[in-house]
């Protein structure tokens, strides 16, 4: 806890850090490097080239599925933030009725295998005669996403002083005014973080989407997955690199936004 | 403030509370609990050719008497099938074996890394944590794809080994259970690192210093003081890797061979290829049991710990 413990990291510790992070990042880096490979054989270096990137823009199917993924992620992220935000508030309020049932239901999807959640949802959609497509993927992703949002919001609520809200109510603010002026600004960073988490989970998911989708709706991960099953191609490397870049940009934006919101809340 | 105003406000407040808890509760009941019940129901049905490809065995809409009647006709066929069929036993054992091995591998990599992170200068730590968690925010599929590229027979690892003259024939790694174990350990590594790091970071360093003052060697002080104190973090990390690993579909499909059979893959295959919905549902129920056992064990261990504390 004090100064002596800080200086403990010897050369062995530095080696472990370097090796550990190399293990984590080398595979990701290899994808990026080999996306600039001129050779059609991914694993044989044939010189530097950008040729695989323009080819992506002509791939109509890929662009369509990327657009579909974005729409699904935005819709399900928004829905997950709304439902998960409410759930997080309810979880943080001690003694309200139905709280323990809600807690159990919020934790359960987090530990269930996606294949099981997906299969169960699909069976429900079939039993109800719902046509599968965009909407059913959004429902599936929102259901998983809201559980993550609820955890993030509930954790944020724990650090916040309930007397602030009560003071506002004592001063004559109605419950909705108190919520808008006190609670909402305080949980805003958690809502943003939760939305980004739900958005990312949706963009990344292939298992739930495959179970929940119909013939008309193919998301980007579904498209990439079916190509990966056939083997490695330079196009997959190029798409992957673009996805990694947008994920990095999104994470950077999230960090900046979180910092702004945190300063704003003070 | 009049009494009527106060009453209106109390009502509004109560309504807001009801909405906050009611809306998410209703959503999860409809899209998580109801589907699980449908899955259970179908697992007790008989597989038939047709659309949908199962014959329902009980129907709540026909009233309670009809429900009781249908209970008698309940079918355990699909459970009998999956218990008799070696394939599912293989899948269950395969899931447990792959999940166990990859959990062990992930912990083996995560522990030293978490230890080094916890001993790094304080100013480095936020950046190190960010570096450890960042892969979680990048695509899961892409991280698995990297290992196809590396492990394939003509992949990067075999090319590097051949170029360095260490090997004549390529190592056969791709499409084996070993490749799945590496892939799972890699994909879920952040889940192992964070709880171990938290456990190591939170412990009272003066305990280790006291052991050193009393003459213990650095290794001995670590082994008998710091390591036992970090075990709760190790268990939490193990659980966070083991549970998703058990139900993993994508990694065994992309990195495993035809003989790498796991429950998640069996569900997928029964559903999409064989169109045997009752068998897929029964396999899903089996998978749930495989996951519940370690969860309950963990819950119990935690309770015991809290009692003794």
């Amino acid at each position: 806890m004090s100064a002596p413990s800080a200086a403990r990291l010897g050369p062995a510790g530095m080696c472990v850090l370097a090796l550990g992070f190399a293990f984590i990042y080398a595979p990701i880096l290899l994808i990026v490097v080999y996306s600039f490979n001129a050779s059609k054989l991914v694993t044989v270096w044939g010189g530097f080239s950008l040729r695989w990137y323009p080819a992506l823009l002509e791939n109509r199917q890929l662009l369509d599925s990327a657009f579909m993924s974005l729409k699904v992620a935005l819709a399900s992220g928004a829905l997950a933030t709304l439902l998960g935000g409410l759930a997080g508030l309810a979880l943080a309020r001690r003694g309200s009725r139905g709280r323990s049932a809600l807690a159990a239901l919020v934790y359960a999807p987090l530990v269930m295998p996606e294949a099981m959640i997906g299969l169960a949802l699909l069976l429900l959609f079939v039993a109800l005669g719902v046509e599968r497509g965009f909407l059913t993927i959004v429902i599936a992703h929102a259901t998983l996403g809201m559980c993550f949002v609820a955890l993030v919001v509930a954790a944020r609520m724990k650090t916040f002083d309930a007397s602030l809200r009560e003071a506002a109510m004592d001063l004559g603010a109605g419950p909705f005014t108190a919520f808008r002026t006190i609670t909402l600004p305080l949980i805003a960073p958690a809502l943003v973080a939760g939305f980004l988490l739900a958005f990312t989970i949706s963009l990344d998911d292939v298992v739930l989407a495959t179970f929940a989708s119909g013939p008309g709706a193919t998301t980007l991960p579904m498209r990439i997955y079916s190509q990966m099953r056939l083997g490695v191609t330079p196009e997959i490397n190029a798409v992957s690199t673009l996805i990694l870049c947008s994920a990095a940009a999104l994470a950077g934006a999230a960090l900046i936004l979180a910092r702004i919101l945190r300063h704003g809340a003070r | 403030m009049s009494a009527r105003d106060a009453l209106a406000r109390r009502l509004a407040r109560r309504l807001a509370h009801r909405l906050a808890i009611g809306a998410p509760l209703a959503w999860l009941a409809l899209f998580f609990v109801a589907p699980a019940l449908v899955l259970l129901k179908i697992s007790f049905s008989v597989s038939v050719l047709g659309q949908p490809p199962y014959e329902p065995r009980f129907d709540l809409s026909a009233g309670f008497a009809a429900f009781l009647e249908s209970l008698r006709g309940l079918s355990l066929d699909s459970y009998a099938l999956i218990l008799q069929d070696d394939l599912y036993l293989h899948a269950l054992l395969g899931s447990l074996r792959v999940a166990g091995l990859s959990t062990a591998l992930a912990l083996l990599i995560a522990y030293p890394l978490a230890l080094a992170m916890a001993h790094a200068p304080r100013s480095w730590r936020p950046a190190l944590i960010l570096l450890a968690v960042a892969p979680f925010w990048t695509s899961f599929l892409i991280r698995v794809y990297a290992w196809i590229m590396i492990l394939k027979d003509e992949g990067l690892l075999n090319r590097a080994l051949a170029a360095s003259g260490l090997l004549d024939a390529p190592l056969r790694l791709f499409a084996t259970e070993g490749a799945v174990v590496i892939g799972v350990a890699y994909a879920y590594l952040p889940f192992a690192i964070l709880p171990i790091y938290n456990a190591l970071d939170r412990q009272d360093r003066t305990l280790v210093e006291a052991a050193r003052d009393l003459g213990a060697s650095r290794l001995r002080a670590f082994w008998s003081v710091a390591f036992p104190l970090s075990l709760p973090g190790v268990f939490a990390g193990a659980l966070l890797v083991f549970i998703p690993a058990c139900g993993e579909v994508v990694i065994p499909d992309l990195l495993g061979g035809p003989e790498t059979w796991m429950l998640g893959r069996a569900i997928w295959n029964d559903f999409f290829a064989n169109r045997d919905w009752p068998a897929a549902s029964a396999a899903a129920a089996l998978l749930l049991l495989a996951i519940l056992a370690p969860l309950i064990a963990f819950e119990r261990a935690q309770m015991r710990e809290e009692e003794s504390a």
Side-chain angles (χ1 to χ4, degrees):
Chain A
M1 305 275 123
S2 52
S5 70
R8 284 265 185 76
L9 192 71
M14 291 297 285
C15 271
V16 169
L17 277 185
L19 279 176
F21 284 113
F23 174 73
I24 294 173
Y25 284 98
I28 298 174
L29 214 64
L30 283 174
I31 293 181
V32 176
V33 169
Y34 278 86
S35 76
F36 299 113
N37 186 0
S39 163
K40 212 171 165 56
L41 295 166
V42 174
T43 56
V44 184
W45 185 252
F48 179 86
S49 159
L50 287 172
R51 63 187 276 210
W52 305 112
Y53 287 89
L56 292 180
L57 289 176
E58 278 152 34
N59 191 335
R60 200 65 239 162
Q61 282 188 326
L62 200 73
L63 291 179
D64 284 348
S65 62
F67 188 56
M68 171 63 80
S69 270
L70 269 181
K71 277 196 301 185
V72 168
L74 281 174
S76 66
L79 205 55
T81 308
L82 181 67
L83 289 163
L86 287 174
L89 289 175
L91 285 180
R93 188 173 293 128
R94 279 176 191 287
S96 51
R97 260 205 300 170
R99 179 168 164 266
S100 54
L102 184 64
L105 282 183
V106 162
Y107 287 119
L110 298 176
V111 294
M112 300 276 163
E114 283 179 340
M116 214 200 103
I117 301 177
L119 175 63
L121 262 175
L122 170 66
L123 295 174
L124 177 81
F125 292 144
V126 171
L128 294 178
V130 180
E131 196 177 322
R132 279 170 287 140
F134 171 74
L135 210 60
T136 48
I137 307 179
V138 170
I139 288 174
H141 285 176
T143 305
L144 188 62
M146 69 172 279
C147 299
F148 283 95
V149 177
L151 289 192
V152 177
V153 171
R156 171 81 185 172
M157 285 292 285
K158 259 189 205 157
T159 64
F160 136 57
D161 192 356
S163 57
L164 276 178
R165 209 171 132 272
E166 266 144 39
M169 306 262 286
D170 286 346
L171 290 172
F176 293 106
T177 315
F179 177 78
R180 196 168 45 82
T181 54
I182 306 286
T183 313
L184 198 58
L186 276 166
I187 63 169
L191 288 178
V192 172
F195 172 80
L196 286 172
L197 193 59
F199 182 82
T200 317
I201 289 169
S202 169
L203 267 191
D204 196 25
D205 167 75
V206 64
V207 176
L208 286 180
T210 306
F211 276 110
S213 85
T218 306
T219 62
L220 187 61
M222 286 166 71
R223 177 83 56 207
I224 297 177
Y225 181 51
S226 65
Q227 282 183 17
M228 282 180 184
R229 296 175 83 165
L230 303 177
V232 286
T233 66
E235 286 95 348
I236 301 180
N237 281 57
V239 181
S240 304
T241 303
L242 289 181
I243 293 175
L244 289 171
C245 289
S246 17
L250 195 69
L255 279 179
I256 293 169
L257 198 62
R259 192 156 291 175
I260 292 171
L261 280 171
R262 207 162 291 152
H263 285 296
R266 260 176 208 156
Chain B
M1 188 167 34
S2 73
R4 253 177 80 186
D5 272 357
L7 184 69
R9 254 156 131 205
R10 265 228 312 276
L11 281 177
R13 195 174 177 179
R14 192 171 295 168
L15 192 74
H17 285 193
R18 288 272 159 84
L19 187 72
I21 204 158
L25 207 55
W27 180 279
L28 286 171
L30 182 57
F31 294 118
F32 181 69
V33 179
L37 293 177
V38 174
L39 182 127
L40 268 182
K41 167 181 160 167
I42 290 173
S43 77
F44 289 114
S45 307
V46 180
S47 173
V48 293
L49 287 175
Q51 184 66 21
Y54 62 91
E55 184 187 307
R57 275 299 166 140
F58 58 101
D59 187 2
L60 288 173
S61 58
F64 191 63
F67 169 68
L68 277 184
E69 181 58 36
S70 65
L71 273 185
R72 243 166 266 149
L74 212 71
S75 166
L76 289 170
D77 282 8
S78 39
Y79 286 92
L81 173 83
I82 68 169
L83 289 180
Q84 277 162 10
D85 195 335
D86 274 355
L87 196 68
Y88 291 97
L89 187 65
H90 273 306
L92 177 64
L93 292 178
S95 278
L96 294 176
R97 194 172 55 240
V98 168
L101 287 172
S102 44
T103 303
L105 181 62
L107 291 178
L108 228 53
I109 299 167
Y111 199 95
L113 188 56
L115 191 64
M117 280 167 65
H119 285 273
R122 208 150 263 285
S123 55
W124 294 16
R125 291 192 203 165
L128 290 177
I129 294 172
L130 191 69
L131 272 177
V133 189
F136 175 74
W137 290 83
T138 69
S139 169
F140 178 83
L141 268 182
I142 293 174
R143 281 181 291 144
V144 177
Y145 172 77
W147 287 96
I148 309 180
M149 226 171 70
I150 295 168
L151 296 177
K152 262 168 65 118
D153 287 354
E154 69 279 19
L156 297 173
L157 183 66
N158 274 319
R159 280 188 192 281
L161 288 174
S164 64
L166 285 169
L167 272 184
D168 304 325
L171 273 178
R172 176 125 182 77
L173 290 166
F174 185 65
T176 64
E177 200 172 281
V180 181
V181 169
I182 294 175
V184 173
Y186 179 75
Y188 293 105
L189 195 61
F191 294 124
I193 296 174
L194 274 194
I196 299 177
Y197 169 79
N198 275 334
L200 286 167
D201 188 46
R202 255 187 233 152
Q203 55 182 241
D204 188 354
R205 295 276 162 80
T206 53
L207 290 174
V208 175
E209 273 153 34
R212 296 273 287 142
D213 288 345
L214 292 170
S217 67
R218 276 188 76 158
L219 194 66
R220 165 113 206 185
F222 168 74
W223 187 247
S224 46
V225 180
F227 181 70
L229 283 174
S230 70
L231 281 179
V234 174
F235 285 135
L239 209 62
L240 286 177
V241 178
F242 186 86
I243 287 178
C246 263
E248 191 48 58
V249 177
V250 169
I251 300 176
D253 188 46
L254 286 177
L255 292 175
E259 78 281 4
T260 325
W261 206 242
M262 291 171 68
L263 276 175
R265 211 178 168 190
I267 295 172
W268 188 277
N269 207 52
D270 271 336
F271 189 84
F272 288 112
N274 302 343
R275 293 189 59 76
D276 188 344
W277 294 15
S281 305
L286 200 66
L287 175 57
L288 191 59
L289 283 182
I291 286 169
L292 280 183
L295 258 183
I296 291 169
F298 180 74
E299 203 48 45
R300 284 235 173 120
Q302 263 197 335
M303 294 243 288
R304 226 175 295 134
E305 206 170 279
E306 270 167 30
E307 272 165 27
S308 66

